[in-house]
Amino acid sequence: MSTAVGPSAVMAWRDYDPEACELPGMFLGELALPGPPEGESERLWHLGARRVRLPGTVDLSGTPDAARAATAVGALGLVRDLTARAVLVEWDLRLDPAAGERWRVLSHLQPPRRIEGPAGAGEALREWRRGHYLCKCLWRKGPGFVQIRDRRWGELRRFTADEPEYARAIETLAYGAPADEVPQAVLDDFRGEDLVLDVGPLAWWLPYRISRWLQESMTI
């Protein structure tokens, strides 16, 4: 069962372009998100949302307690899932002042509108925007294996596992879970590849399962 607590509602539009969004009929209004988080991005997509604005700020500063961690992970899960659908997401991010380059673990997500916290946050945001593209860090499930393809660091990194506990761990971590709910060896492997983000007591799965391809899958 997911521990995430995402936003209860978002603002949404039928198009991503600001000028087009000013036209009659483009604004979908404030849409409630009753849950569960696994289905929210698909529901928004089928309602016609192509631009979504999250309320508040995703706060990853300090050491979040369980409640704040669940809120942050819930919002990140929605950003990740909407990114996978090529939906324009407007969201704000707060990082710990000592985070340094750790923003890169999130750089496969739709870039936020602003980053608060670290020195040089403005330059980090500009680099994030310049380097963002769909399919930057994704996972796929094949017959008897899972594979992650990751270009967040520039070069292509592949992580392939055929042991069933890896696929089960991804399902458990997809919307945040206490770290002790997955095998320690599996979690250590994921952490070593920067495939999970630790937010307070929760571990959250970073890659998205792609919903829209920009190129042929063999190219990706």
Side-chain angles (χ1 to χ4, degrees), residues 94-128:
R94 181 179 298 119
L95 297 172
D96 194 275
E101 294 283 297
R102 291 301 291 169
W103 62 269
R104 294 187 186 277
V105 302
L106 299 170
S107 62
H108 61 302
L109 305 179
Q110 179 75 224
R113 295 185 300 180
R114 63 181 63 87
I115 300 176
E116 303 172 10
E123 179 54 37
L125 182 55
R126 286 189 288 272
E127 187 173 349
W128 189 339

Side-chain angles (χ1 to χ4, degrees), residues 69-93:
T71 298
V73 165
L76 285 172
L78 185 59
V79 174
R80 180 197 60 198
D81 293 353
L82 290 172
T83 298
R85 292 182 176 274
V87 173
L88 175 64
V89 190
E90 297 180 338
W91 63 294
D92 300 325
L93 175 63

